């Protein structure tokens, strides 16, 4: 069945939705995005995603396409029209189209393009993959230097994911100067001696909305958290590892570059954090 999607003020069947071939998102990857998950038909951690979107827009000197209240209304309308109980809302804002191709940013008369669509994902919370855990490979991080801005420049993460698939694995962790930056589309953590270790926030990684919540819940549950760089070699010797993202919540990692962590099954920390995260998010969903 065709989805209803949103493009620049209109709700349309997906086959009728269009964006200009001159759109700067298409020509220059001059666009930012957010992915917000839906549980029980409600939006998870919505405020964090909107705040980060406004930050991304500001960092790129891009105009906001509407107000935060209007954006919430569009999210809710799409979730309702598409009958999403568990799934995702994808949002993209580009710098719009000035009807030609020019490296120079267009003036204020060019309005941003706003696109949103839903992805139905039944079983998002009760995901069998989380019980098995993910196998990952490590690859060089050759992305640009402003990974804190959530741009749609996702070619390299997509290639890294393909390298993982080719190696019979689920995902890749990105390595810079021997240290893990993050996953292709998630933040990365290891657990050693009960302590959760993750890279501190900087321009090198995306400031994950799930990361922020999970670290808060970990601290509230008296778990020890250390924000510092860690190497891929250290990760291979960890007791456990996991990733966090809006689309997969807390996902245990059971193997890195062919090396099994612990007994090769999810440990105790990641599954517990996953459970707490999902419970708390259900409570605060809007
Ligand atoms: N990705 N790091 C990167 C590079 C990401 O692309 C993402 C999210 C995260 C986790 O951020 P958050 O917890 O706010 O989802 C970290 C989304 C889910 C995606 O591209 O589909």
């Amino acid at each position: 069945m065709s989805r209803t999607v949103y493009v620049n003020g209109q709700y349309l069947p997906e086959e009728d939705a269009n964006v200009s071939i001159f759109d700067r998102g298409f020509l220059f990857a001059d666009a930012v995005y957010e992915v917000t998950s839906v549980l029980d038909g409600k939006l998870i951690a919505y405020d964090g995603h909107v705040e980060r979107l406004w930050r991304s827009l500001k960092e790129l000197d891009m105009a906001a396409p509407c107000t935060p209240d209007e954006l919430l209304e569009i999210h809710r309308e799409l979730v309702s029209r598409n009958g999403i109980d568990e799934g995702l809302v994808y949002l993209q804002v580009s710098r719009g189209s000035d009807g030609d191709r020019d490296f120079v940013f267009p003036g204020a008369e060019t309005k941003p393009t706003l696109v949103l669509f839903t992805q139905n994902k039944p079983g998002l919370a009760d995901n069998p993959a989380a019980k098995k855990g993910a196998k990952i490979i490590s690859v060089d991080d050759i992305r640009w230097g402003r990974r804190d801005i959530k741009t749609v420049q996702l070619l390299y993460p997509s290639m890294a994911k393909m390298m993982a698939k080719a190696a019979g694995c689920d995902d890749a962790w990105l390595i810079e100067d021997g240290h893990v930056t993050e996953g292709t589309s998630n933040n990365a953590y290891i657990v050693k001696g009960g302590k959760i270790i993750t890279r501190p926030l900087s321009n090198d990684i995306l400031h994950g909305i799930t990361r922020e919540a999970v670290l808060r819940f970990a601290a509230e549950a008296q778990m020890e958290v250390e924000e510092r760089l860690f190497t891929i070699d250290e990760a291979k010797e960890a007791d456990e590892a996991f990733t966090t993202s809006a689309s997969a919540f807390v996902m245990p990692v059971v193997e890195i570059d062919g090396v099994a962590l612990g007994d090769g099954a999810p440990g105790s920390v990641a599954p517990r954090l996953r459970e707490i995260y999902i419970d708390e998010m259900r409570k605060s969903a809007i």
Side-chain angles (χ1 to χ4, degrees), residues 176-195:
E176 195 166 61
D177 302 328
H179 295 107
V180 176
T181 52
E182 58 188 333
T184 56
S185 59
N186 42 58
N187 291 116
Y189 309 74
I190 58 172
V191 182
K192 188 77 184 169
K195 190 193 286 179

Side-chain angles (χ1 to χ4, degrees), residues 33 35 49 52 143 150 154 182-187 206-211 244-247:
Y33 77 109
V35 177
H49 288 286
R52 185 173 61 190
R143 298 173 301 162
K150 198 163 172 60
L154 296 177
E182 58 188 333
T184 56
S185 59
N186 42 58
N187 291 116
L206 187 74
H207 301 189
I209 303 305
T210 318
R211 177 189 186 279
T244 62
S245 67
S247 51

Side-chain angles (χ1 to χ4, degrees), residues 42-208:
K42 291 181 182 168
L43 300 159
I44 301 305
Y46 180 77
D47 289 349
H49 288 286
V50 172
E51 274 165 33
R52 185 173 61 190
L53 173 65
W54 253 258
R55 178 181 182 277
S56 294
L57 292 169
K58 185 166 159 279
E59 291 299 313
L60 296 178
D61 203 14
M62 205 184 281
C66 60
T67 67
D69 285 350
E70 286 165 342
L71 210 50
L72 175 59
E73 185 51 37
I74 300 166
H75 276 80
R76 285 181 161 157
E77 188 65 28
L78 279 184
V79 168
S80 153
R81 287 195 191 207
N82 292 300
I84 306 295
D85 183 52
E86 291 196 357
L88 306 170
V89 182
Y90 177 86
L91 168 163
Q92 180 169 321
V93 183
S94 85
R95 204 180 300 274
S97 157
D98 59 359
D100 205 349
R101 179 176 183 269
D102 191 339
F103 280 80
V104 175
F105 289 178
E109 66 286 356
T110 297
K111 298 296 168 215
T113 299
L114 175 61
V115 168
L116 286 93
F117 57 82
T118 54
Q119 292 183 293
N120 194 26
K121 305 260 181 202
L124 188 65
D126 198 18
N127 185 353
K131 297 195 177 68
K132 237 173 93 210
K135 294 181 179 180
I136 60 153
I137 59 165
S138 60
V139 302
D140 281 347
D141 194 341
I142 58 167
R143 298 173 301 162
W144 80 323
R146 289 303 306 274
R147 302 158 192 157
D148 57 310
I149 309 174
K150 198 163 172 60
T151 75
V152 301
Q153 302 176 72
L154 296 177
L155 179 56
Y156 186 66
S158 187
M159 289 168 70
K161 192 99 174 172
M162 293 309 292
M163 292 180 229
K165 295 281 170 207
C169 291
D170 305 293
D171 205 353
W173 277 10
L174 308 173
I175 314 298
E176 195 166 61
D177 302 328
H179 295 107
V180 176
T181 52
E182 58 188 333
T184 56
S185 59
N186 42 58
N187 291 116
Y189 309 74
I190 58 172
V191 182
K192 188 77 184 169
K195 190 193 286 179
I196 300 165
I197 299 159
T198 195
R199 193 178 177 103
L201 296 182
S202 69
N203 291 353
D204 299 335
I205 61 169
L206 187 74
H207 301 189

Side-chain angles (χ1 to χ4, degrees), residues 138 173 175 177-180 190 192 228-239 256-257 259-261:
S138 60
W173 277 10
I175 314 298
D177 302 328
H179 295 107
V180 176
I190 58 172
K192 188 77 184 169
R228 65 159 170 86
L229 302 193
F230 61 93
T231 65
I232 189 65
D233 292 336
E234 198 180 355
K236 288 176 198 169
E237 284 169 11
D239 303 326
I256 303 176
D257 290 335
V259 178
L261 304 187

